[in-house]
Amino acid sequence: MTILPVPHTAIIVVAAGSGTRLAAGAPKAFVGIDAHSVLRHALDGVFAAMPAQVIVVAPAGLEGEAATELRAAAGDRADLGRVVTGGATRQLSVAAGLAALWADVDTVLVHDAARALTPSSQIDAVAQAVTADTGVIPSLPVIDTLKKVAGGTVVAAVDRSELAAAQTPQGFPRALLEAAYAEALHADAEYTDDAALFAAAGHVVRHIEGSARAFKITTPADLERARQLLAPPVRAVGIPLVGIGTDVHAFGGEGNLWLAGLEWPGEQPLSGHSDGDAVAHAIVDALLGAAGLGDIGEHFGTAHPEYAGAHAEVFLSRTREMLAEAGFEIGNVAVQLQGNRPRFSRRRAEAERVLSAVLGARVSVSATTTDGLGFSGRGEGIAVTAIASILPRDNDMNSHVPRE
Ligand code: CTP
Ligand code: MG
């Protein structure tokens, strides 16, 4: 057995935030960019850099999921990684990571999982630039013209040549960073980032050139940007394949309604083998149909008790995986639901965000009533129709079309 040297660098990947501004229905680190989560992409970058101890700081309750992502990214270097539980603020999460450092570590990098596409070369460059008494941050020049404003009025111009936009990883000599954190904890002081905390303890922080790909995924537009950057180039060799799915569920049962991936407190639930989410089920059938992979009953029906009570996210992410395995990516999904309740429009944007995030593709949902006609008009249930388009990933359309 080869004994590998213990690394002297550690990378703390903070992933314990809730992602309030992204509002994707799950803590940000666990939201999918493509088939992989934000955290998995961040860790792929980390493991492609020099060998280091890797500490993932996860939200309480999601340590197991974080460990799964860590193992997948680490490959045969799983010995380097561990997961700890984060705190209520980013600063407390970093502190939790610091408490897990190996004794041999002398350089600590703190990295936002939310900067998921950070190139590994940036991680290496920061680690190399840290000295025994200086910290290092990657930064980019500020491009926009900046103004100081107060109460709707521009009060001053700001000289942007004096400014830089800070990124991560931020690197520090371990002993000084630990002491600076202890000081901040003692003074109950909260800093915007690790460099500010380190500087407040009287130390020098230098900056090196960051990169555009190290942007932080904060808003839905940022997530879209990450998706665009990762999207495989698809050569249009023909028209996309399309599929259709319909589903009907009657109202009935106990608890709250689950529809379009959302829980609707106070609304009557739909009955069904799973949570009765007719929107999700119609989407699954449309996608499977487009790919010629059968239907929902075959893959998720009563013969699969593991899906009893499961919510949309489970069905949809598994369907996305099946399509990916079969060589397809999802183009878009359009859904229409017919029913008197719930009043869908007020949560349409939220539903579309959740469904789009799970599928990694644009999902639009419209709702209509039927003028009092039929079962949906009588308020007995909901009917849903979904259409999906999919694109072959391998640029070889013909291999997926039955030949004559
Ligand atoms: N973070 C953390 N622990 C916290 C808060 C944030 O580990 N208590 C991490 C996030 O997971 C993220 C990084 O710090 O990787 C940068 O934070 P931010 O982009 O603000 O993420 P969130 O706090 O999750 O997002 P939001 O502020 O929109 O809720
Ligand atoms: Mg935050």
Side-chain angles (χ1 to χ4, degrees), residues 1-38:
M1 186 177 112
T2 338
I3 299 192
L4 294 164
V6 175
H8 293 282
T9 301
I11 307 176
I12 298 173
V13 181
V14 281
S18 52
T20 328
R21 287 166 288 178
L22 188 62
K28 185 156 74 183
F30 299 89
V31 171
I33 301 180
D34 45 15
H36 289 157
S37 66
V38 167

Side-chain angles (χ1 to χ4, degrees), residues 233-262:
V234 176
R235 212 177 59 202
V237 195
I239 52 168
L241 303 174
V242 297
I244 186 164
T246 64
D247 196 30
V248 167
H249 279 289
F251 288 113
E254 300 290 312
N256 289 328
L257 171 71
W258 280 86
L259 192 67
L262 303 179

Side-chain angles (χ1 to χ4, degrees), residues 33-65:
I33 301 180
D34 45 15
H36 289 157
S37 66
V38 167
L39 177 59
R40 173 67 193 278
H41 279 285
L43 290 173
D44 282 346
V46 163
F47 279 96
M50 75 286 156
Q53 184 193 7
V54 177
I55 301 166
V56 177
V57 187
L62 287 172
E63 295 87 348
E65 284 78 355

